[in-house]
Amino acid sequence: MTPAISIRDLHKTYDNGHKALNGISLDVKEGDFFALLGANGAGKSTTIGVISTLVRKTSGTVEVFGKNVESYTYETKLDLGVVPQEINFNHFEKVFDIVVTQGGYYGMPLKLAKARAEKYLRQLGLWDKHNQQARVLSGGMKRRLLIARALVHEPKLLILDEPTAGVDIELRRSTWEFLQKINKQGTTIILTTHYLEEAENLCRNIAMIDKGEIVVNTSMKQLLQTLNQELFVLDTFESMLSPPDLPGFTVNMVDEHTLEVGLDRKQSLNEVFDQLSAQQVRIKSMRNKSNRLEQLFVSLLNREPQ
Amino acid sequence: MKTVMDTSYKFIALQTIVIKEVRRFLRIWVQTLVPPVITIALYFVIFGSLIGNRIGQMGGYTYMEFIVPGLIMMAVINNSYANVVSSFFSQKFQRSIEELLVSPVPNYIILTGFVIGGVCRGMAVGLIASIISLFFSGVHMNNILITVLVVMLASIVFSLGGFINAVYANKFDDISIIPTFVLTPLIYLGGVFYSVELLPPFWKAVSQINPIFYMVNAFRYGVLGISDVDIGFAIFMLLLFAVGLFSFSLWLLHRGKGLRH
């Protein structure tokens, strides 16, 4: 099957000499929900810029559904919807007009553009505001408007550059549900985000980019399996004066009611509970100290051995 | 499978850009349509009516009748330029131009759309200025075809000028430098308020290199039938400027100057 995106040996050096991309190669399968992660300035937005033609590459090739973005500009742009990181619509225009106008840029007759605008504004919970100027929308609503605008021509591939940055948890979760829905309907999605929980929950495959190079490109499942140790935080009923003795486990007492226990992949949590019970320590609650993907992200980008 | 954007799609895209541009200047009509009308009305009252009555005839017409075509042309030029420079630069500044750049609209359609938007505002202000002039002066129309052709070409040329200014501008100050230091002197020295026959030979020769001099005189020929220049040459120059500036603007868009990294 032709990949939705195929990038080969992509280089980008800006006029000021900054090397943003240093030979990136990447394939994203059709129908995938793909995460592109990296620190600020790693090269994510430049990669998206080259795909959407807003950034001119120095060398390399980019194909969208098998077509080169430079040779087949019209077809590749029809297949592509981009949700940028920055809010980039005219704040004084009405919400409805912004989406309908974008449909016009894709050659959609007015009636169809209006119908599509209504469809996506309703699905994204913005229909109540459709007749208002975009500037009155909250930050989260503005980001959803960017999504509606990018979808008006119903692209086969949707690229979202940090779509939930600064969005409250309720809107973030409803945006996730919406994206999962359109992905199930067949839209390939590439997502960049700083919320690693978001990438872990939504994406099936993942690439991590650092200093303009791909450092990881694998499935989310495989990547998480490479995590050797997980750290759990346990809240106890009993007050403790010193950390309990847990042979084989790393233990740190945070305060008199809180323990941090480290397990490697071969160890069982049951053993921890058994040993604590034997020492009359009962567990009230338990959680991961940090997101698993976050641990991997930090270790991979710092090049630290796990 | 379509390999190029077909004609009907291009027409819809062009129509969309034009509607957006027209909607923009109508939405802020207090900033775009009212000020030029007040300025023109003041010119008519002060230069045409109060001072003009003491000047006497010029080119066989009253001074008021003589300056009306020049003032209308001045309004068209200023507003065509201002519309494109402010609209394109503000879209570039707030990056909403990316809406267009990520879409499949060809560059020449983008440019044509902005130019038509500028021409629409130039024509709207020119029409209002013409209606106001009827309160001060009689109705004259020597050649309606030449009048419309000249005003359209001048509007296109200065819309393209505004576009080039916007492409090169990096901050809001940059979009007022050309109108203040280049456009206004050229308009005032382009024979709006006088006939170059009144000038000494040196300054008369200098006026020949001012493009606005040809526009004002060609328009005056269309309205009154009098001109300081050959009308055929004036129209040729306008066409040359329009084609040259359109080609240059298209090249800038193709290069992505100030738009694509």
Side-chain angles (χ1 to χ4, degrees):
Chain A
M1 189 190 285
T2 311
I5 282 273
S6 179
I7 298 173
R8 290 289 171 272
D9 199 24
L10 188 62
H11 288 259
K12 172 63 189 176
T13 305
Y14 285 100
D15 291 343
N16 61 8
H18 172 61
K19 260 191 167 184
L21 299 179
N22 200 11
I24 279 182
S25 293
L26 188 67
D27 282 335
V28 177
K29 286 183 289 185
E30 186 171 354
D32 202 354
F33 207 134
F34 190 91
L36 185 61
L37 304 186
N40 285 332
K44 307 183 299 290
S45 296
T46 300
T47 306
I48 293 172
V50 174
I51 297 168
S52 62
T53 73
L54 289 175
V55 175
R56 294 196 189 282
K57 66 184 170 57
T58 305
S59 64
T61 58
V62 178
E63 289 181 356
V64 174
F65 294 103
K67 291 196 167 59
N68 190 296
V69 292
E70 288 173 322
S71 313
Y72 294 88
T73 309
Y74 173 59
E75 291 92 333
T76 53
K77 285 186 170 184
L78 271 188
D79 283 340
L80 184 64
V82 179
V83 178
Q85 197 180 114
E86 308 284 341
I87 305 291
N88 69 348
F89 46 70
N90 183 342
H91 286 67
F92 294 97
E93 278 196 73
K94 287 181 182 171
V95 168
F96 190 59
D97 291 342
I98 288 170
V99 185
V100 172
T101 298
Q102 192 69 16
Y105 294 158
Y106 285 83
M108 291 165 61
L110 189 61
K111 199 175 165 188
L112 177 61
K114 283 184 171 177
R116 288 266 184 86
E118 181 174 347
K119 174 184 169 185
Y120 286 109
L121 289 174
R122 281 190 189 282
Q123 287 189 14
L124 285 156
L126 291 170
W127 185 246
D128 289 350
K129 308 276 183 189
H130 79 281
N131 216 17
Q132 297 189 20
Q133 287 188 342
R135 66 194 171 99
V136 305
L137 300 182
S138 68
M141 286 177 167
K142 284 176 182 164
R143 295 214 163 269
R144 292 159 75 89
L145 175 54
L146 292 177
I147 297 174
R149 189 185 66 180
L151 285 172
V152 69
H153 64 289
E154 298 195 334
K156 286 156 69 182
L157 169 64
L158 181 66
I159 301 180
L160 303 107
D161 196 356
E162 297 183 29
T164 55
V167 175
D168 70 51
I169 189 66
E170 196 184 336
L171 267 182
R172 197 185 308 165
R173 286 191 183 277
S174 63
T175 304
W176 292 356
E177 282 168 21
F178 175 78
L179 293 176
Q180 281 173 318
K181 190 178 89 179
I182 62 167
N183 178 246
K184 275 182 190 155
Q185 289 167 353
T187 307
T188 308
I189 296 180
I190 299 176
L191 175 84
T192 82
T193 180
H194 283 296
Y195 300 112
L196 300 176
E197 177 199 3
E198 186 168 275
E200 188 176 339
N201 287 338
L202 295 174
C203 301
R204 290 187 283 280
N205 291 296
I206 182 169
M208 286 190 188
I209 184 168
D210 184 35
K211 298 184 180 78
E213 291 176 18
I214 300 283
V215 291
V216 171
N217 186 3
T218 182
S219 72
M220 188 67 75
K221 199 175 167 186
Q222 278 185 335
L223 183 68
L224 292 174
Q225 280 174 356
T226 64
L227 191 63
N228 285 328
Q229 193 172 62
E230 282 193 77
L231 206 54
F232 291 93
V233 179
L234 309 178
D235 296 314
T236 63
F237 281 104
E238 283 73 26
S239 171
M240 297 170 289
L241 295 173
S242 59
D245 184 27
L246 296 174
F249 299 96
T250 54
V251 184
N252 174 37
M253 199 171 97
V254 179
D255 60 42
E256 59 187 11
H257 285 283
T258 313
L259 293 172
E260 278 180 8
V261 181
L263 286 83
D264 65 37
R265 288 182 60 217
K266 289 174 185 164
Q267 292 177 308
S268 163
L269 267 172
N270 287 350
E271 287 180 48
V272 177
F273 294 140
D274 289 345
Q275 290 191 34
L276 288 173
S277 294
Q279 295 172 56
Q280 313 300 318
V281 179
R282 291 176 304 152
I283 305 303
K284 192 196 256 176
S285 63
M286 182 189 78
R287 63 187 182 277
N288 267 96
K289 187 182 180 190
S290 61
N291 176 277
R292 293 181 300 166
L293 188 57
E294 193 171 307
Q295 287 176 43
L296 271 167
F297 182 77
V298 171
S299 62
L300 281 166
L301 297 193
N302 287 337
R303 303 281 206 277
E304 286 172 1
Q306 285 184 48
Chain B
M1 182 184 288
K2 286 188 288 286
T3 53
V4 289
M5 196 177 193
D6 70 36
T7 309
S8 63
Y9 277 24
K10 285 178 191 166
F11 180 74
I12 291 171
L14 177 65
Q15 192 184 36
T16 304
I17 300 169
V18 172
I19 288 171
K20 188 181 178 191
E21 286 304 291
V22 172
R23 202 167 54 205
R24 187 196 75 90
F25 80 72
L26 291 179
R27 187 174 61 227
I28 50 171
W29 61 275
V30 178
Q31 294 171 50
T32 53
L33 300 180
V34 175
V37 168
I38 290 174
T39 308
I40 291 289
L42 287 170
Y43 275 121
F44 284 140
V45 171
I46 296 166
F47 290 101
S49 196
L50 297 178
I51 299 173
N53 285 339
R54 294 163 185 255
I55 292 175
Q57 290 213 324
M58 196 168 287
Y61 288 92
T62 65
Y63 186 64
M64 173 67 94
E65 288 168 333
F66 181 83
I67 66 167
V68 162
L71 288 174
I72 293 170
M73 183 57 92
M74 184 172 85
V76 170
I77 288 171
N78 275 331
N79 282 278
S80 303
Y81 191 96
N83 196 69
V84 182
V85 75
S86 58
S87 175
F88 194 80
F89 180 73
S90 55
Q91 288 191 42
K92 194 175 98 167
F93 186 78
Q94 63 188 355
R95 296 175 65 174
S96 62
I97 194 67
E98 289 175 4
E99 291 175 340
L100 262 172
L101 299 179
V102 300
S103 77
V105 185
N107 286 337
Y108 73 90
I109 295 284
I110 295 176
L111 181 60
T112 306
F114 275 93
V115 169
I116 293 176
V119 170
C120 287
R121 177 163 152 199
M123 291 295 158
V125 173
L127 185 67
I128 297 169
S130 303
I131 292 167
I132 292 171
S133 75
L134 296 177
F135 291 99
F136 299 90
S137 167
V139 181
H140 294 279
M141 187 50 70
N142 175 55
N143 187 325
I144 192 161
L145 281 178
I146 288 181
T147 305
V148 172
L149 177 66
V150 168
V151 81
M152 289 282 286
L153 281 172
S155 188
I156 290 169
V157 165
F158 281 91
S159 294
L160 289 164
F163 181 86
I164 293 165
N165 188 172
V167 167
Y168 279 100
N170 291 317
K171 51 188 189 295
F172 276 98
D173 288 348
D174 296 342
I175 65 170
S176 62
I177 288 172
I178 300 290
T180 306
F181 295 106
V182 180
L183 210 51
T184 304
L186 286 180
I187 289 172
Y188 279 67
L189 298 172
V192 172
F193 296 104
Y194 55 83
S195 166
V196 287
E197 297 302 326
L198 300 175
L199 297 175
F202 174 77
W203 291 110
K204 193 175 169 183
V206 170
S207 296
Q208 309 291 321
I209 58 170
N210 179 355
I212 293 176
F213 168 71
Y214 295 97
M215 295 177 190
V216 170
N217 273 284
F219 188 61
R220 190 172 279 138
Y221 176 84
V223 178
L224 299 178
I226 55 166
S227 172
D228 290 335
V229 293
D230 177 68
I231 184 68
F233 180 69
I235 290 174
F236 171 75
M237 289 301 288
L238 278 172
L239 276 169
L240 201 65
F241 271 113
V243 172
L245 292 177
F246 191 89
S247 306
F248 183 61
S249 302
L250 211 51
W251 179 75
L252 288 175
L253 263 180
H254 182 69
R255 275 191 61 207
K257 169 79 183 161
L259 302 169
R260 299 181 201 263
H261 295 289

